[in-house]
Amino acid sequence: MNTLVNVARYHLVDRLQYLVLPIGVTLFAFGVNLAIFSLLPDKPEENYSGGLFTLFVFMLVCGAMSMTKSLPFGLALGVSRRSYYLGTVLLVAGLSALYAAGITVFQAIEEATGGWGLGLNYFRVPWLLDGPWYLTLLTAFVFLTLMFLYGMWYGLIYRRASVLGVVLFSAAQVLVLLGVGLVLTWTDSWSKLGTFFSSLTVGGLTGALAILVCVAGAGGFATMRRVTV
């Protein structure tokens, strides 16, 4: 366990990447949204902003960089691939918990102030972060973890097979989605899919995201064992 904690601390030497930039850019985007919305002459009763997804994109980028920029030196220090991966996952859990708690607190303030006095919903996202506080906390944690692990997987693919591997990996996912779309078309099941998603609760969505977390985590771990540095 000490080794995993040390790996997490190794990453946090770069506080700019893992803490300063994600928080700073998210708050900056929030300030820009507030400024723009305060200047609108006619404000809708409920306005949802997509600016919060900046944080999720940052988690994706941080995950990729943790397996590209930081991996060679980490392994050079004598850390095993398994320990490096699991230590990074420990970092993921800590960062996701921190940011999910922040989103939950700001969402509560947003609701209490009537959308910052402007009817702006920045920290409340329809169908995703739109339930009770505990579901917001859980869903944000799971989604942030998913983005980081997905980024890690991409970073490992890049380490294993360079740009060609990333392109093929992306193409494979597109082909899977295309195959699912064709099956839905041939079986005339698009309406059933729409009914399923429309009936999906926030809790159900969180469960689906948790399954994807397991897939991304397992895929990344399997790729990690084949990475050469």
Side-chain angles (χ1 to χ4, degrees):
M1 185 64 183
N2 287 338
T3 302
L4 305 187
V5 172
N6 287 334
V7 171
R9 292 175 61 188
Y10 160 73
H11 286 298
L12 289 177
V13 169
D14 189 358
R15 291 180 176 83
L16 179 67
Q17 174 181 320
Y18 293 101
L19 293 172
V20 177
L21 283 178
I23 296 174
V25 173
T26 301
L27 293 179
F28 176 76
F30 172 52
V32 170
N33 275 267
L34 277 179
I36 292 175
F37 198 68
S38 65
L39 297 175
L40 294 177
D42 298 317
K43 300 180 180 62
E45 292 184 3
E46 292 290 337
N47 179 67
Y48 292 94
S49 169
L52 184 60
F53 282 104
T54 304
L55 177 60
F56 295 91
V57 172
F58 255 99
M59 291 294 279
L60 177 72
V61 173
C62 286
M65 294 183 69
S66 70
M67 294 294 129
T68 53
K69 185 179 75 171
S70 306
L71 177 62
F73 187 67
L75 296 184
L77 293 175
V79 179
S80 68
R81 286 170 171 76
R82 178 179 179 275
S83 295
Y84 185 90
Y85 189 86
L86 295 180
T88 307
V89 170
L90 180 62
L91 172 70
V92 175
L95 290 177
S96 297
L98 174 65
Y99 295 149
I103 291 172
T104 304
V105 170
F106 275 98
Q107 189 183 96
I109 297 173
E110 184 172 86
E111 184 175 355
T113 58
W116 313 101
L118 300 170
L120 172 64
N121 290 288
Y122 184 86
F123 295 94
R124 182 174 295 277
V125 181
W127 302 296
L128 182 63
L129 304 176
D130 198 20
W133 70 267
Y134 52 87
L135 274 182
T136 293
L137 180 65
L138 180 60
T139 304
F141 172 78
V142 173
F143 193 23
L144 288 165
T145 301
L146 172 61
M147 295 300 286
F148 199 109
L149 290 177
Y150 190 48
M152 286 172 59
W153 199 0
Y154 261 99
L156 289 168
I157 292 291
Y158 177 79
R159 272 285 165 195
R160 181 69 178 86
S162 192
V163 176
L164 178 61
V166 172
V167 172
L168 293 176
F169 182 53
S170 301
Q173 294 173 78
V174 171
L175 289 176
V176 169
L177 293 176
L178 179 61
V180 171
L182 289 174
V183 170
L184 290 173
T185 300
W186 290 335
T187 59
D188 196 23
S189 299
W190 283 105
S191 59
K192 296 179 182 178
L193 182 66
T195 302
F196 170 76
F197 279 110
S198 64
S199 63
L200 195 65
T201 63
V202 176
L205 178 59
T206 303
L209 292 175
I211 294 174
L212 293 179
V213 166
C214 295
V215 172
F221 187 75
T223 307
M224 182 69 169
R225 300 174 61 183
R226 295 170 173 79
V227 167
T228 56
V229 179

